[in-house]
Amino acid sequence: MSGVLTDFAGTGVHEAVQDRLDAFFTDRISLARAYGDNYRLLWEAARSASQGGKMFRPALVVGVYHDLGGTDDDSALRIATAFELLHTAFLLHDDVIDRDLVRRGVPNLAGSFAADASAMGATDAAAETWGQASAILAGDLLIQAAQGFLARLSTPEEIRAQLLDLFDRSIFVTAAGELADVAFSAGVRLPSLADVMAMTEQKTASYSFEAPLKAGAILARADAEMLTILGEFGRLVGVAFQLRDDQLGVFGDAEITGKSVLGDLRNRKETPLIAHARSTPRWPQIEEALYDLETSDDDGSSVRAALEECGARTFVDALIDDHVGRAESLLSDSKLPAALVGHLRDVARHAVVRAA
């Protein structure tokens, strides 16, 4: 999707946001030195966690803003940077929730801090606590910093207030999705397909698509009708994006995605793949195989084959096509500028065309 986003937001957005991130982290690392090596190392690890991403959320902010005639690039880039910091914070927290120690093919913050503790003689339990606590604190600090970027915008008060409210709501909704995800995976509640779809929407669509699109429009002084259309478009495409991510978490290539194809299965993640499989006659066999995965060295091939055979993968493919189709239809009936409609169509189509 990188080429599409470059066409949308223009060249240089990735580098401009990265420059702002580098300046932010350089400042924080310098300040942290006064509070000990551990705190300095925490900020250095947080900076590393912010690197290597696709930065599509910043591109959505800037792309919408430019297509609606915006010219205050500094404010647009500050908002874009805030969304990238929020994304990094959520990744840090998500890794703790999922007990993952690797992100993008390398040790994540929790994993690297736990490994360092182990190397210094800490017990496994103590090392795990140190890694998880460090990742949680780093995520908290980045959420606060992201909000600070918005609070210090040189924009009229009513625009700044709208952006802060939007940001607050996206955090609020995403937390609801994460809580539901944990509840379902832990067996606290047996969800229906509708429950899983709602969780899928809350986890990703709000902060990854809906809020960035609306943020660019708010800065450009878009009217309420435009904000509603962009929000619904972002919701639909965000769900499709997460559905594809769920598929890649089971059927993807770990060397390409940087994500294990066993993690979601072993953690009993409740996704639409699993929710659909539960409604089929193959579910008892699939459920037994999932339990076996928790304690075995099985590569998961039998579970994947069963999910294919019961129609779960095809079912999710259809859901993805439906959400993208509805998003494109929404654009056709809108009064958005033609250039923005064209760019958003490209975003919708390419958001779900990802490496398998």
Side-chain angles (χ1 to χ4, degrees), residues 247-261 354-356:
Q247 278 193 334
L248 293 174
V250 176
F251 296 104
D253 184 335
E255 292 187 3
I256 297 175
T257 64
K259 179 180 179 179
S260 167
V261 293
R354 300 161 65 192

Side-chain angles (χ1 to χ4, degrees), residues 120-349:
M120 291 186 287
T123 64
D124 289 347
E128 181 181 30
T129 298
W130 174 240
Q132 291 180 346
S134 299
I136 291 169
L137 290 170
D140 291 347
L141 288 164
L142 295 190
I143 291 173
Q144 186 277 331
Q147 291 171 317
F149 266 79
L150 298 184
R152 295 180 180 87
L153 283 169
S154 298
T155 58
E157 177 59 31
E158 65 271 19
I159 298 298
R160 188 163 56 250
Q162 274 187 273
L163 289 166
L164 285 167
D165 286 346
L166 176 71
F167 211 70
D168 177 73
R169 181 183 180 279
S170 69
I171 295 171
F172 189 84
V173 171
T174 303
E178 285 290 355
L179 185 64
D181 190 13
V182 175
F184 299 160
S185 298
V188 173
R189 178 183 167 198
L190 184 63
S192 65
L193 176 61
D195 293 329
V196 176
M197 288 298 293
M199 176 268 292
T200 298
E201 176 184 329
Q202 293 160 5
K203 270 181 56 177
T204 301
S206 179
Y207 94 92
S208 290
F209 287 88
E210 180 182 353
L213 291 169
K214 291 176 73 172
I218 288 170
L219 185 63
R221 275 74 162 178
D223 60 29
E225 182 180 0
M226 277 192 185
L227 292 176
T228 298
I229 292 168
L230 289 169
E232 179 63 6
F233 172 86
R235 184 188 71 80
L236 290 166
V237 175
V239 170
F241 178 89
Q242 184 60 48
L243 289 170
R244 181 66 77 210
D245 194 66
D246 290 339
Q247 278 193 334
L248 293 174
V250 176
F251 296 104
D253 184 335
E255 292 187 3
I256 297 175
T257 64
K259 179 180 179 179
S260 167
V261 293
L262 289 175
D264 285 357
L265 295 174
R266 281 180 172 156
N267 290 330
R268 306 297 301 275
K269 282 284 186 180
E270 282 290 342
T271 67
L273 276 169
I274 298 300
H276 177 79
R278 188 181 290 110
S279 70
T280 71
R282 290 295 302 274
W283 177 245
Q285 292 84 7
I286 294 172
E287 185 175 34
E288 182 178 353
L290 286 171
Y291 278 119
D292 289 343
L293 272 181
E294 295 179 14
T295 57
S296 73
D297 292 328
D298 192 327
D299 64 2
S301 58
S302 60
V303 176
R304 283 188 284 275
L307 290 172
E308 291 260 23
E309 292 164 6
C310 77
R313 189 175 188 179
T314 301
F315 173 76
V316 172
D317 280 333
L319 282 177
I320 292 170
D321 290 343
D322 174 67
H323 279 75
V324 171
R326 287 160 58 196
E328 292 187 329
S329 295
L330 184 68
L331 296 177
S332 298
D333 298 333
S334 76
K335 296 179 182 178
L336 295 175
L340 179 55
V341 168
H343 285 137
L344 292 178
R345 285 189 187 281
D346 288 340
V347 168
R349 293 166 184 167

Side-chain angles (χ1 to χ4, degrees), residues 10-48:
T11 59
V13 170
H14 189 290
E15 292 77 7
V17 171
Q18 190 61 60
D19 286 346
R20 282 163 171 75
L21 288 172
D22 287 343
F24 164 74
F25 281 112
T26 297
D27 176 67
R28 286 296 187 269
I29 290 167
S30 178
L31 292 173
R33 294 180 191 278
Y35 299 93
D37 286 343
N38 286 335
Y39 202 43
R40 173 184 58 80
L41 290 170
L42 183 75
W43 278 104
E44 289 179 352
R47 177 173 59 186
S48 295

Side-chain angles (χ1 to χ4, degrees), residues 48-96:
S48 295
S50 74
Q51 298 171 342
K54 299 178 180 67
M55 290 200 187
F56 72 80
R57 295 162 189 84
L60 294 178
V61 173
V62 176
V64 168
Y65 181 63
H66 284 169
D67 278 355
L68 292 178
T71 58
D72 182 2
D73 286 349
D74 182 66
S75 291
L77 288 169
R78 285 185 67 85
I79 297 168
T81 303
F83 274 100
E84 192 62 19
L85 283 172
L86 181 65
H87 175 55
T88 303
F90 283 159
L91 293 183
L92 291 170
H93 285 169
D94 200 47
D95 284 345
V96 174

Side-chain angles (χ1 to χ4, degrees), residues 94-109:
D94 200 47
D95 284 345
V96 174
I97 292 169
D98 292 342
R99 304 176 74 86
D100 286 336
L101 300 178
V102 174
R103 169 71 65 175
R104 295 168 184 157
V106 298
N108 57 23
L109 193 151

